[in-house]
Amino acid sequence: MPNAPIALSTASVYPESTATAFELAARLGYDGVEVMVGTDPLSQDVEALRRLSEYHQMPIVSIHAPTLLITQRVWGTDPWGKLDRGAEAAKALGAKVVVVHPPFRWQRDYARQFVAGVAKRAEETGITFAVENMYPWKAAGQGLQAYLPGWDPRDFDYAAVTLDLSHTATAGVDAYEMAYDLGDRLAHVHLADGNGSIKDEHLVPGRGNQRCADVLELLARRGFTGAIVLEVNTRRAASRSEREADLAEALAFARLHFAAPVVPAYTVASDGTIEAVGQ
């Protein structure tokens, strides 16, 4: 198995709490947790998160800064302040990555300096700021440019990118091609699935049409060492046991497919025949 943790996003247990995510991650055998900083006060409290991490023996691999529409007032309204607090939290909690979304189209001043500002903060803090791929918004059948400078990170000079496979589904792009094109800039993965709906579905991997297995196998061949974070939607789970079953299935899928292929060693004989000598 390649040396990369498979972690659980705290968003995956919503509407249950951040504390529940740590509990389930530990029980199901995840390697760590990504904290989605949101409206749950616990997700914003660095000391409380440290205690949860220590109690459950679950490392915090990444901090998802509060850059969603519903978290516009979490950690203040200054977008740069959110990124700075994300880096401070990451350092305090031993996380290596802060996940950020590109600016919304109405955040024009922020957007103008976004690429350079992210690079500057990464250099100053030593924290990886991994900018996430997004998608066009759809209205009356028309695509709307909701993000500036754009939703596709391949078009911009980011040193580190988060690949989200639910977002590729909504955008109608091939997740494998995006992973391949990003090369070494792919630093972090949000593993989920989707069917191409205008809704950001975040299905359990294997339940949509994204090339989840192919992407994981590509990462394994490359020796990927970033975190693979299950960020799936379990809101419709009728019970805790059903939610646990979904998260266990997601983890099993990731472990099954994130494995480097075993290639037999071989020699070529003088007559041109190939002889396997080991595995």
Side-chain angles (χ1 to χ4, degrees), residues 91-167:
K91 280 191 169 184
L93 295 167
K96 297 179 180 179
V97 173
V98 172
V99 178
V100 298
H101 288 186
F104 293 108
R105 61 182 299 178
W106 55 84
Q107 296 175 307
R108 295 189 180 277
D109 291 341
Y110 177 44
R112 272 192 288 270
Q113 300 298 322
F114 184 69
V115 177
V118 165
K120 178 182 177 183
R121 280 164 172 76
E123 182 178 358
E124 291 176 346
T125 64
I127 296 293
T128 296
F129 283 81
V131 181
E132 193 166 352
N133 63 297
M134 298 305 292
Y135 45 84
W137 289 1
K138 304 282 179 63
Q142 301 295 316
L144 172 67
Q145 172 60 290
Y147 299 97
L148 294 176
W151 59 265
D152 190 333
R154 292 175 293 184
D155 297 335
F156 306 99
D157 190 23
Y158 301 125
V161 172
T162 296
L163 173 65
D164 186 303
L165 279 78
S166 178
H167 296 175

Side-chain angles (χ1 to χ4, degrees), residues 23-24 27-28 234 237 239-249:
E23 176 192 343
L24 292 182
R27 183 186 306 166
L28 296 173
T234 65
S239 63
R240 165 68 71 84
S241 60
E242 187 175 323
R243 174 166 290 114
E244 285 191 41
D246 284 347
L247 297 179
E249 179 183 333

